[in-house]
Amino acid sequence: MFSATQTSKFQFLDKARQAREERKGHKERERAATQIQALIRRFLCRCKLQRQIRKEVDEFFETHDSGSSKRTALSIFKIARKLLFVFIVKEDKLRFEKLCRCILASMEVENEPKVWYVSLALSKDLTILWIKQVKDILWVSCEFLKKLKPDILQDNKMVTLYLTMLITFTDVSTWKIVRGKGEALRPALIRICENIMGHLNQKGFYTILQILLTNGLARSRPSLSKGTLTAVFTLALRPVVAAHFSDNLLRSFLIHIMSVPAVISHLNTLTPECMVTIQTHELLRKFILFLSREEQCGDICVCLEGSHTLCLLGTSRCQLCSLSSCG
């Protein structure tokens, strides 16, 4: 009788345990189902929002392309924020191209400050957001430059577009806003440009330029035009000049630009104006002084492969010969 009572007790406890485990499993399944439903709803809502935003962006550019009205800087800024929020390279490549063309077009309008995209830099409420947006747009432009092939006609056009974006927003000289009475704004706007260049440098700006130069010059026949090569060299030199030829920037310039095979030879052939710039800034003397220090020279050699070190030496010698002939 004692044994039967004990067995009944064990059975009762076992059933209670099973029931408890079933309830626990049921709760876990309910929780999992709720999480799955939430994820699906979030995904569907995100897809819907992205479709709505892309539709709005497309309608904005359709109106702009028709030329029915000039878009204000603020409207361009707002549509750019939306595009960058949903931006996916494969889906939004054409939209981003249109955005860049729209921004550049706004910078060319005469006597209409509200249309100039750069005018938002003067808005107390939008300055920081505008600077961040410019940084994001320019870095996306750099990412595209890294993948483009200058020897392909369509890619070459895109190279020109994105280089123009970089040229435009890393220097104030072409900004209509600094003309006349706006001259007083120049120092503040120059600092903004320096801030933008600093951001690009931290992200790997010189690596992008090196890839573009190598793709366009390291071949039997250069695929970079005079204008494109001048733009790349100008972009490479701007941060160095802005930083007053600091060791950090000279190092980047030597590693990523001067090590490109025959870069000075191509500059001398295609853009003699760049050689004049090199002479004006006494770049060769600065390079020699930089490399004359054993620690820095060793650092450059370690960073470069043997073949690229040879290219750097050859480029420097070529530069010396070119400048000697000019003299």
Side-chain angles (χ1 to χ4, degrees), residues 10 29 38 44 75 95 97 112-113 125 155 161 197 200 311:
F10 286 148
R29 286 192 295 273
L44 293 174
S75 66
R95 293 183 181 93
E97 176 191 334
E112 292 194 47
D125 296 330
D155 278 16
L161 174 64
M197 285 191 288
L200 294 176
C311 287

Side-chain angles (χ1 to χ4, degrees), residues 94-257:
L94 182 58
R95 293 183 181 93
F96 185 78
E97 176 191 334
K98 289 182 177 180
L99 173 65
C100 291
R101 294 190 188 282
C102 183
I103 289 172
L104 292 174
S106 78
M107 298 290 286
E108 295 298 322
V109 177
E110 294 288 345
N111 303 319
E112 292 194 47
K114 289 185 178 180
V115 175
W116 301 333
Y117 177 68
V118 75
S119 65
L120 296 179
L122 306 179
S123 169
K124 292 182 180 179
D125 296 330
L126 296 176
T127 301
I128 295 176
L129 291 174
W130 180 84
I131 292 172
K132 182 183 183 305
Q133 185 175 100
V134 173
K135 289 177 179 178
D136 291 341
I137 290 173
L138 293 187
W139 183 245
V140 174
S141 298
C142 288
E143 291 284 8
F144 277 120
L145 283 173
K146 183 168 63 175
K147 299 173 184 176
L148 293 169
K149 304 296 181 184
D151 55 313
I152 301 173
L153 181 59
Q154 188 59 36
D155 278 16
N156 200 291
K157 292 178 180 179
M158 293 300 100
V159 167
T160 301
L161 174 64
Y162 298 132
L163 284 178
T164 305
M165 284 293 294
L166 289 162
I167 284 286
T168 301
F169 290 101
T170 53
D171 184 74
V172 303
S173 59
T174 60
W175 296 2
K176 292 178 174 58
I177 200 169
V178 296
R179 295 179 183 175
K181 294 180 181 179
E183 184 64 32
L185 302 170
R186 185 180 290 268
L189 295 175
I190 287 175
R191 285 195 292 274
I192 289 177
C193 286
E194 290 173 352
N195 181 282
I196 291 170
M197 285 191 288
H199 172 78
L200 294 176
N201 288 336
Q202 290 176 357
K203 298 275 284 184
F205 184 52
Y206 278 101
T207 302
I208 302 294
L209 295 182
Q210 181 184 20
I211 292 170
L212 182 59
L213 282 173
T214 304
N215 288 340
L217 298 179
R219 45 192 296 115
S220 57
R221 185 177 179 180
S223 57
L224 295 182
S225 66
K226 175 181 178 178
T228 304
L229 185 56
T230 302
V232 175
F233 181 77
T234 302
L235 285 169
L237 193 57
R238 274 181 183 173
V240 181
V241 175
H244 305 290
F245 302 94
S246 69
D247 285 350
N248 243 4
L249 272 298
L250 281 175
R251 177 181 180 275
S252 295
F253 195 92
L254 282 167
I255 290 173
H256 297 290
I257 307 302

